Amino acid sequence: MTFYKRKLNETEQLNPQEFDNNNMELVCVKDFERQAFAKLEKNTLDYYKSGAGEQFTLEQNRAAFRRLRLRPRILRNVSQLDISCRILDEQLKWPMGIAPSAMQKMAHPDGEIGNARAAGKAGAIYILSTLSNTSLEDVAAAAPNTCKWFQLYIYKERHLTEQLVRRVERAGFKALVLTVDAPVFGNRRADVRNKFSLPDHLNLANFEGELANVTTMGGSGIYEYVTNQFDPSITWQDISWLKQLTSLPIVLKGVLTAEDAVLAREFGVDGIIVSNHGARQLDSVPASIEALPEVAKAVGNDMLVMFDGGIMEGNDIFKAIALGAKVVFLGRPALYALAHNGQQGVEEMLEILRKDFETTMALMGCPSFEDITPAMVVHEKTFMKL
Ligand SMILES: Cc1cc2nc3c(=O)[nH]c(=O)nc-3n(C[C@H](O)[C@H](O)[C@H](O)COP(=O)(O)O)c2cc1C
């Protein structure tokens, strides 16, 4: 366990009763977030923490979990818990993964390799972003025992995407995760104000030349990169194109409605991730956890439904599973733990979260996932029937 001595930041000074221990032991995901907030420089922290627009959905991604009440069952022998699972033919120690996030070396030199190795040690999935600071081949070589998936964007120059797919296959990644909620880039105001660009010593390591650079032309450099390079004309026909290109399982990331989940099933994808991209794309969409039930009801019996957005505690993982997710992913928490202490920070954070999830399973009276029922999670509005 890590003990830390540091100055209180601005938020903490405003709420001293919450943060009265300067030698804070890190015991929950939120603690890692506080450390990262105190440590990261503005360009990076703003890029990591921001949502789109007014950041209404960003706030809701976490707030919506708190509107859900748990109804635990008692006296059900929870001395032996089984939280392992099999996802797309891979055995996991628990239903956990690290979501793809761009440019992880801005958090810490361990970057993508640190996160991938920590995921492997924790028995979780690691999804590498197309926009990584470490090449997919280097991540594959450094974390051979991690279950790795690759997140794909479709470039206007289709041959770039094709080349990526071939490299991903050769490097032994087990699935392609196509991000479908970013035909254009969300409007993140802090990045525009900061004129976000990648620090000079880093690049987008899957590419060469101008495709490897994120520099500002006057606004947010990442917005400009995506606008220039990614194809906003993609449609469901491109799922068919991708399917004939590769035999890897295809997962769509960024599904928020029953209608699109049904289409995803019709187009034969292998799984979907209910996600609003960490509230970074379209503001005012529902919190991910609010969108999960309609998607799971529509396709959950015959398709792999996964989830990300706002997960901070074991309780959140339980709620997402009860509402239909088979696996959940962490975005920012992994970046913040990485910023705190590299690979070791992520290992510690995942260990804390797994134990917290086990505690929830036991206190809910659920020794296995079969014991979880939808009736165990109730919205606060319908909880008290008077
Ligand atoms: C800094 C940052 C960068 C991200 N980059 C990508 C990306 O390159 N591709 C992608 O599909 N999603 C990306 N995401 C979205 C995450 O995969 C994930 O959907 C989201 O972070 C989950 O919400 P959470 O941060 O509340 O856990 C990014 C998220 C963050 C915070």
Side-chain angles (χ1 to χ4, degrees):
M1 205 50 68
T2 313
F3 288 88
Y4 227 62
K5 199 167 206 166
R6 62 180 178 80
K7 271 189 168 170
L8 295 183
N9 68 25
E10 229 172 80
T11 326
E12 293 164 339
Q13 282 165 13
L14 289 172
N15 305 289
Q17 67 285 7
E18 251 194 84
F19 308 97
D20 60 355
N21 187 0
N22 232 351
N23 297 314
M24 189 168 66
E25 185 183 352
L26 306 190
V27 298
C28 63
V29 172
K30 184 84 186 160
D31 288 344
F32 289 83
E33 180 176 291
R34 288 193 191 109
Q35 298 296 344
F37 274 42
K39 206 167 190 175
L40 289 171
E41 53 85 29
K42 189 171 165 48
N43 183 60
T44 299
L45 179 61
D46 280 353
Y47 173 68
Y48 284 173
K49 77 175 166 62
S50 290
E54 288 286 318
Q55 307 193 121
F56 170 74
T57 300
L58 182 65
E59 199 185 308
Q60 292 304 311
N61 261 3
R62 289 187 189 174
F65 274 109
R66 296 199 289 273
R67 293 195 287 268
L68 301 175
R69 303 284 178 268
L70 295 176
R71 296 178 65 247
R73 300 296 308 276
I74 54 172
L75 298 172
R76 304 222 303 187
N77 186 3
V78 290
S79 57
Q80 299 288 330
L81 300 181
D82 180 9
I83 58 166
S84 65
C85 57
R86 224 177 153 71
I87 300 295
L88 293 182
D89 261 349
E90 290 287 322
Q91 190 64 28
L92 304 179
K93 279 195 195 143
W94 55 315
M96 174 53 64
I98 295 183
S101 59
M103 304 181 275
Q104 297 180 0
K105 279 194 178 175
M106 292 198 305
H108 189 279
D110 286 0
E112 287 82 5
I113 287 177
N115 258 335
R117 284 181 169 161
K121 282 202 173 173
I125 300 167
Y126 178 70
I127 310 181
L128 179 68
S129 168
T130 288
L131 304 177
S132 55
N133 296 136
T134 315
S135 74
L136 66 94
E137 288 83 2
D138 286 352
V139 173
N145 301 322
T146 303
C147 170
K148 297 173 295 298
W149 298 355
F150 186 82
Q151 177 268 326
L152 198 65
Y153 284 120
I154 297 188
Y155 279 70
K156 288 177 185 167
E157 299 288 343
R158 288 301 165 98
H159 68 93
L160 292 171
T161 302
E162 273 187 60
Q163 282 165 5
L164 272 180
V165 171
R166 295 289 164 254
R167 287 168 58 193
V168 164
E169 290 170 337
R170 275 198 299 275
F173 286 74
K174 298 289 188 215
L176 282 175
V177 178
L178 180 68
T179 299
V180 287
D181 58 11
V184 299
F185 205 62
N187 189 1
R188 304 168 202 161
R189 295 172 189 169
D191 293 342
V192 180
R193 289 201 182 98
N194 294 340
K195 305 191 192 312
F196 174 86
S197 61
L198 251 181
D200 288 343
H201 67 290
L202 297 177
N203 67 359
L204 301 182
N206 288 321
F207 302 97
E208 286 174 348
E210 67 165 22
L211 283 168
N213 290 323
V214 181
T215 49
T216 172
M217 304 288 288
S220 159
I222 187 69
Y223 180 95
E224 289 157 7
Y225 181 95
V226 168
T227 306
N228 289 333
Q229 302 301 342
F230 293 178
D231 187 352
S233 77
I234 60 170
T235 68
W236 287 100
Q237 306 316 318
D238 294 295
I239 307 301
S240 307
W241 170 75
L242 195 57
K243 269 175 71 87
Q244 58 79 36
L245 199 67
T246 181
S247 55
L248 283 175
I250 293 172
V251 170
L252 297 191
K253 173 172 179 285
V255 176
L256 287 176
T257 62
E259 296 91 312
D260 280 336
V262 168
L263 278 170
R265 183 180 56 197
E266 282 170 23
F267 276 83
V269 306
D270 300 277
I272 53 180
I273 305 181
V274 175
S275 167
N276 55 29
H277 210 115
R280 295 161 72 79
Q281 284 296 100
L282 179 62
D283 200 18
S284 269
V285 296
S288 293
I289 195 70
E290 292 174 325
L292 177 59
E294 72 166 74
V295 171
K297 266 182 214 136
V299 299
N301 286 334
D302 36 34
M303 207 171 143
L304 173 62
V305 174
M306 298 169 279
F307 174 88
D308 76 27
I311 296 268
M312 294 291 282
E313 296 189 279
N315 288 352
D316 301 335
I317 303 171
F318 186 94
K319 288 170 182 174
I321 291 173
L323 295 178
K326 294 285 185 291
V327 189
V328 306
F329 293 92
L330 301 172
R332 294 179 185 85
L335 292 170
Y336 295 149
L338 191 67
H340 164 58
N341 195 19
Q343 178 181 336
Q344 198 188 323
V346 184
E347 285 175 21
E348 283 177 15
M349 182 275 293
L350 288 172
E351 176 74 1
I352 287 170
L353 190 55
R354 186 184 50 72
K355 284 189 178 150
D356 193 37
F357 175 53
E358 283 178 344
T359 303
T360 304
M361 288 287 286
L363 292 176
M364 285 300 295
C366 297
S368 77
F369 297 128
E370 282 75 56
D371 303 300
I372 302 179
T373 65
M376 289 177 165
V377 176
V378 181
H379 195 276
E380 63 178 9
K381 275 202 174 147
T382 53
F383 185 71
M384 288 206 301
K385 297 183 201 88
L386 295 176

